[in-house]
Amino acid sequence: ALLPGNRHAQYLLSHQGRTFGGWIFQRGIGPPIPEEIIQRSLNYLLEQGFARVRVKPVPEFYHAEMLDNDALMLSAGGVLVDEDPNYAIELPKVISDRGKRWGVQKAMNKGIHIEEDDGFGTFWDEILMPYHRQVLGYEPVHTLAEIEYLATNNPTKIRQFNAYHKGEILAGVTVFVHPEVARTQYIASTDEGRKNRAVDLLIGYLMRNIGEKYIDLGGVTDPKTGLPKESLVQWKESFGGELYMGKVWEWENRM
């Protein structure tokens, strides 16, 4: 097994630089070995002088083998300190929401079509950066150089799908690919794309063609308030997204 993590003051965090962290186990080891691995690694970290260990495990549906995160964390004495609402679509699924079906049809009638791009520059420069700066008011987590570096070093694991109309890009979605899950890391559109429901067409396209068992639509928490954003909740549920909680567990050094 391995445990990715980073140090922040006297904390060991797994993982501050990624959406999820936690222990990653070799296939087929089975209980009770994972429990022993967790306990031994916690003992080691606390002996190294960390005041706290904080872990946000990868959700169960990402795993190739069944794993009960809650049971493992509780058996090791973990304390649940935070929960983050997220939404995922279990495939295959057909869009049932009338508004979303209408949106997909509107985009198709307009002549919008979906292409998988072999680069990220068009989406980053023309859609994502302007959207974040002008609408959201903060920068994306990754710069264009960083996403290109990650894609180069992880071939086939980061994919870019864009919606076009007469050669003009209207929307895009950047997907991080896992053997079980396609995670929509970035979604953005222009005003014209929103008017003509280009993102509806994009998500519908992914639901039919992506090939993984789940589409992880990510979180719904507003970074400015720390609370779920109701419009995001409704948007993700309208595609058939179901709630799952990203749980954060903590161990305190009482020595």
Side-chain angles (χ1 to χ4, degrees):
L2 61 86
L3 176 67
N6 67 283
R7 179 192 290 272
H8 178 73
Q10 292 304 305
Y11 275 70
L12 188 285
L13 304 172
S14 183
H15 191 288
Q16 198 173 22
R18 296 183 59 83
T19 306
F20 308 114
W23 287 266
I24 302 170
F25 300 103
Q26 180 182 347
R27 290 191 185 190
I29 58 175
I33 297 176
E35 292 94 324
E36 184 174 354
I37 288 171
I38 291 173
Q39 195 60 65
R40 288 197 183 197
S41 55
L42 285 169
N43 291 344
Y44 171 81
L45 290 168
L46 297 176
E47 287 169 0
Q48 298 305 304
F50 286 102
R52 283 184 172 86
V53 175
R54 180 171 287 190
V55 171
K56 186 176 184 180
V58 176
E60 283 91 342
F61 63 89
Y62 276 79
H63 291 269
E65 297 179 343
M66 291 296 294
L67 193 71
D68 188 334
N69 279 335
D70 289 358
L72 285 171
M73 300 300 103
L74 289 169
S75 69
V79 176
L80 183 64
V81 294
D82 197 10
E83 292 184 290
D84 180 29
N86 294 259
Y87 282 82
I89 304 169
E90 185 174 4
L91 301 174
K93 181 167 285 187
V94 176
I95 297 173
S96 60
D97 182 84
R98 292 178 62 185
K100 281 292 172 281
R101 292 206 310 269
W102 177 84
V104 170
Q105 192 62 52
K106 179 177 182 178
M108 292 175 64
N109 292 344
K110 180 72 174 178
I112 298 171
H113 67 282
I114 308 302
E115 295 181 14
E116 181 169 4
D117 244 334
D118 58 2
F120 304 90
T122 301
F123 174 60
W124 241 256
D125 293 339
E126 298 186 27
I127 307 286
L128 188 65
M129 296 301 293
Y131 177 74
H132 267 258
R133 289 170 177 169
Q134 297 166 18
V135 179
L136 300 182
Y138 58 88
E139 298 285 308
V141 173
H142 300 91
T143 65
L144 175 58
E146 288 169 342
I147 205 73
E148 289 176 337
Y149 173 83
L150 289 171
T152 299
N153 287 276
N154 297 275
T156 76
K157 300 300 184 184
I158 304 179
R159 302 172 69 182
Q160 181 65 43
F161 298 88
N162 295 330
Y164 291 94
H165 181 243
K166 296 181 179 179
E168 178 186 359
I169 185 171
L170 298 183
V173 55
T174 308
V175 179
F176 284 17
V177 180
H178 179 275
E180 307 291 326
V181 184
R183 179 178 173 85
T184 55
Q185 184 69 19
Y186 294 109
I187 304 173
S189 65
T190 63
D191 290 340
E192 186 69 16
R194 287 188 285 277
K195 176 183 174 182
N196 290 291
R197 308 296 284 271
V199 171
D200 289 358
L201 186 62
L202 266 171
I203 300 299
Y205 178 89
L206 292 181
M207 291 173 68
R208 295 189 306 273
N209 296 284
I210 194 65
E212 277 69 42
K213 295 180 181 179
Y214 297 88
I215 296 176
D216 187 347
L217 296 172
V220 294
T221 301
D222 187 333
K224 296 179 181 177
T225 66
L227 300 172
K229 195 172 182 178
E230 190 57 37
S231 60
L232 265 181
V233 171
Q234 293 175 355
W235 186 82
K236 294 181 181 186
E237 287 181 342
S238 69
F239 287 107
E242 298 181 6
L243 176 67
Y244 75 90
M245 301 303 293
K247 298 183 178 180
V248 180
W249 300 83
E250 186 172 282
W251 291 261
E252 183 178 358
N253 193 341
R254 301 182 181 278
M255 295 174 62

